[in-house]
Amino acid sequence: MTGARYSHRVIRSAIIPVAGLGTRLLPATKSQPKEMLPVARKPIVQYVVEELAANGVHDMLFVTGRNKASIENHFDSDPELFRALDATNKTELLQEVLFEELNANFFYTRQRQQQGLGDAVLCGENFAGEQPFVVALGDSILGLHARSKAVARMADLFEARHASCVVAVEEVPPEETSHYGIVQIADGTDDCMRVLNLVEKPAPEDAPSNLAIAGRYVFSPLVFDLIRRVKPDRKGEIQLTDAIQLMCEEGKRVLAVKLTGEERRYDIGNFPSYFETFVEFALADPLYGEAFRKTLQRLVGG
Ligand code: G1P
């Protein structure tokens, strides 16, 4: 410890909200969570878990809802499957479904009503306790095959600058600001920008910039009190962005880290971007990618 309030290892827990209804992906999400939709060979949420573990975050709380039991099942051990794979000497497959090398502890709680992302994070208050923690949205993959070290960079910055919050941001086309939380930046470099204000899903003419919050956050536990002070929006939802705005208004240090090109956020929230993400990941598959490329070329007549 070199005077930092928290040693790096203290930021080893993450809250992963996975309670959203996924209505933009119906009927695929009628009875299965959108976080369990496959992207190439793995469900989306597995990429999120692997990314967190690779960034030194090993205690993970899923904030789930109705119809989300398959997430728990996915990360649980399955003795029948184990026996079947073992008996047929499918040891490689066995490794892929054990998740042991992740060294991860999984916890689950339910958000009982759809009251927004801020409320979902509040469900993790007892889990986080007095320690800083990561929030990683369960429907957002960072980087091709989740090879992003953004969370570790954010955790380092959080400690080094004694921040109250660090958010990941990326540029979006100006006409898309109404899909994201948008930040207003004072100064800084891509690795460390001071955030002055945040607005949740502003119309392009009201957006303070084209830098969108990209699904990863590091928080001091003081965020919980601020979430409790946020008033519900028009849809009755408590927005996490509004709690961070309160932090800014109180003069707390809120910083942003810009994602690099290689760790862009893959948005799974709608069909066009889900299709694109699936194809990009499948093309990069070490085993099947090359053959799939040829299939695609044939299909598009190239
Ligand atoms: C949420 C956040 C928003 C953020 C986005 C992508 O919105 O509220 O600030 O920009 O995730 O990380 P949602 O996609 O859940 O509507």
Side-chain angles (χ1 to χ4, degrees), residues 20-34 37 66-68 271:
L21 292 178
T23 42
R24 281 178 294 161
L25 293 168
L26 282 169
T29 50
K30 168 82 169 39
S31 68
Q32 70 168 335
K34 69 172 167 184
L37 292 179
R66 273 191 302 282
N67 285 335
K68 302 281 179 169
F271 279 117

Side-chain angles (χ1 to χ4, degrees), residues 5-180:
R5 277 181 303 170
Y6 309 107
S7 82
H8 187 104
R9 279 190 212 98
V10 172
I11 305 185
R12 51 167 288 129
S13 61
I15 296 174
I16 310 176
V18 288
L21 292 178
T23 42
R24 281 178 294 161
L25 293 168
L26 282 169
T29 50
K30 168 82 169 39
S31 68
Q32 70 168 335
K34 69 172 167 184
E35 297 82 6
M36 284 300 290
L37 292 179
V39 167
R41 283 199 244 176
K42 299 172 189 172
I44 293 161
V45 71
Q46 188 178 332
Y47 291 103
V48 177
V49 163
E50 290 177 357
E51 174 209 321
L52 290 172
N55 280 267
V57 176
H58 296 285
D59 293 335
M60 308 184 197
L61 173 74
F62 292 90
V63 181
T64 71
R66 273 191 302 282
N67 285 335
K68 302 281 179 169
S70 60
I71 297 176
E72 287 183 52
N73 294 340
H74 186 71
F75 293 107
D76 197 6
S77 61
D78 182 338
E80 236 170 79
L81 180 64
F82 183 93
R83 276 196 298 275
L85 293 177
D86 198 37
T88 47
N89 283 325
K90 296 200 168 122
T91 39
E92 264 174 40
L93 274 179
L94 206 54
Q95 286 314 314
E96 286 201 34
V97 296
L98 280 176
F99 308 121
E100 269 173 2
E101 77 285 1
L102 290 178
N103 186 21
N105 304 307
F106 300 114
F107 303 84
Y108 301 89
T109 190
R110 271 199 185 196
Q111 185 186 23
R112 296 174 71 193
Q113 282 166 342
Q114 292 284 317
Q115 288 177 331
L117 184 57
D119 180 70
V121 170
L122 199 51
C123 294
E125 186 172 17
N126 286 339
F127 167 79
E130 296 288 320
Q131 302 296 343
F133 62 95
V134 172
V135 169
L137 303 193
D139 63 356
S140 298
I141 303 173
L142 294 198
L144 187 61
H145 292 171
R147 284 187 217 109
S148 162
K149 284 294 163 69
V151 164
R153 290 207 308 283
M154 292 163 70
D156 287 346
L157 184 66
F158 180 93
E159 290 161 12
R161 301 295 292 271
H162 305 299
S164 293
C165 171
V166 179
V167 293
V169 295
E170 69 177 350
E171 283 174 23
V172 294
E175 64 276 15
E176 288 180 18
T177 57
S178 60
H179 301 306
Y180 304 102

